Amino acid sequence: MDLLWKKEADGSYIDIFGRSTGNSNLFSKLFSGLQLAPAKNNTKSTEFRQNGNDQKAKERWYHAMRFYNESLSYAENGSPNVSLAYANRSLCFLKMEMYDKCITDINFAIKANYPKEKRFKLDERRAYCLERINNEVEILAPAFDFDANENYVGFSNVLDIKFNEKFGRHVVAKCDIAIGKTVLIEEAFGPAQLMDAGQCVVCNTCYKNTMNFIPCEKCPNTLFCNQTCIDNNKFHKFVCGEVPPPLTSSVMYDMTSVLFAIDIFQNVDSLIQFVESVINDKSKTKVVPSAIGDMKSKYRIFLQLNLLGNAMKRGISLARARNVYEKLMGYPTIKTMFSTKAKKRFFIHLCVLHVSIVLSNLFNTNTISGTYLLRSFFNHSCAPNVLFYHYENKCIGITSRLIRKGEQLFMIYNPTCWSTPLNKQPMARIEYEFQCDCEKCKSTNWPNSSKRIKSDPDIQYIESFMSEANGPIDDFSHHQNYLNIQQRCINVLNKYGNLPWTTELNMVSRNFELILSQACLFSPINFGNLRSRTENKE
Ligand SMILES: [Zn+2]
Ligand SMILES: [Zn+2]
Ligand SMILES: [Zn+2]
């Protein structure tokens, strides 16, 4: 990155692509050999429907729904595949006790000319739903356990950002925080939907899950909640209808992050002015931001994110950036914006910076890619006291140990660190280039757990639940499984979360994080739902 933001004699930035020795066409060459998904295609649509039927036979309703969504997105406009996808999906909604959505899909199926001779099936289904519509499963989004933070949108008001030389910018507790409290709900900055086949489970605009999705008329693999979500999507129009779809997830995300930034500013001049002021600010990572909330303050944090520098990544950054730059300059609106030499050269550097930031900080959930700015303020510990999972386009932080006023909150950066110190070279050391001195890394072996912990029924339940072959971890269609296992995890953390780290605490924390993130993918039920149910009982 030595060439980044270097200028020529005339004051414009150097042509970083022209000077790079790397193979500029690396990515186009890589992708030319890949079989890219075609546009609307009934053969593919039918294949996905059959996959859905296989899941239906196993009563895995959420999995079946994902395939029916995929089938719908590939179905040729006006073909019978459209009505079959809606009709099949309506059954999934029915089985998941979401009767209102089932009826909506039945109406969609009929409107799409569902065969008259089979319509009685849908009529029966509708009658069944109408009888039960008052007993619908209620889906609640995750919610804060405290008021929202006034300065940092996404934090609850029990968190604050501090700076010191040892830890840099980091997150501390403003008061004692109990276990199992939701303290962070942060939206991704510049998210993009993963475009790979089989991922068609969220709205391309609002990232909601488990909706009565409708397809884009031109693109496969792209669904929206409704016409409003189609109209409100600023970025899809750039790639809509391109055949074959130009993008893998990474290219899609690189592009969206650049478009997202352009969209913040009135014009290119104010974009340039803003970016230059941030990159020339040498004190940047030592200053605790006074507020993070509006798009400009968020973009400032984005531009300040750490770059993980190794030669390989630099090479990839340049190749990827060139690909993104050329792609974006192919769109007339973008080309007009960056028309002069100086602006083009700036745009080249901006693309390189964005791609480098993305490569170092991107977080992939199973449905979207994005960067989480507030999350980036958390330091790493292999024995974390806050766990993270994802819901729609949001990252949710939940406490897993008692945190005292003034103490720092730590997350685990890489799942391999759950096995520290068994794992002699934890990823924290290799990838993030620092020496971890958490309570796990400092001790050569963890304290021996007492008999009481080892024989705890909650711990035994969690161990056997997680070790079951093809266990319910990949399908929480049965809500009760999910609610049980979550409650058990919370019980264990409440009982032992304040003791020195043990094998059991490690196992439960690790699995709790896994369960939370899997559950949002494989079930419409989430943590907020558990809370509301327990509260109702009291
Ligand atoms: Zn939507
Ligand atoms: Zn489209
Ligand atoms: Zn450690």
Side-chain angles (χ1 to χ4, degrees), residues 203-208 211 213 224-226 229:
C203 170
N204 197 266
T205 305
C206 71
Y207 306 101
K208 278 203 175 71
M211 301 294 284
F213 291 126
F224 298 93
C225 300
N226 46 39
C229 278

Side-chain angles (χ1 to χ4, degrees), residues 218-260:
K218 292 180 187 163
C219 313
N221 245 328
T222 309
L223 297 172
F224 298 93
C225 300
N226 46 39
Q227 190 59 41
T228 314
C229 278
I230 295 180
D231 297 341
N232 288 347
N233 195 308
K234 291 179 201 157
F235 307 117
H236 180 69
K237 63 172 185 243
F238 282 98
V239 294
C240 184
E242 290 196 14
V243 180
L247 311 162
T248 63
S249 302
S250 59
V251 183
M252 184 69 199
Y253 182 71
D254 293 344
M255 272 183 59
T256 316
S257 87
V258 177
L259 289 169
F260 212 73

Side-chain angles (χ1 to χ4, degrees), residues 471-482:
I473 185 67
D474 70 340
D475 194 337
F476 286 106
S477 294
H478 304 289
H479 309 148
Q480 209 50 47
N481 277 349
Y482 175 61

Side-chain angles (χ1 to χ4, degrees), residues 188-192 194 253 358 361-365 368-372 390:
F189 182 83
L194 294 185
Y253 182 71
V358 165
N361 296 281
L362 186 67
F363 197 88
N364 282 334
T365 73
I368 68 154
S369 295
T371 39
Y372 293 92
H390 291 84

Side-chain angles (χ1 to χ4, degrees), residues 109-133:
I110 291 171
K111 211 173 147 195
N113 294 320
Y114 189 73
K116 283 225 163 53
E117 65 279 11
K118 289 203 264 173
R119 205 165 283 182
F120 71 95
K121 283 206 229 166
L122 296 187
D123 293 337
E124 282 173 15
R125 206 169 281 173
R126 185 199 306 274
Y128 181 95
C129 287
L130 285 172
E131 264 173 43
R132 287 162 182 78
I133 203 149

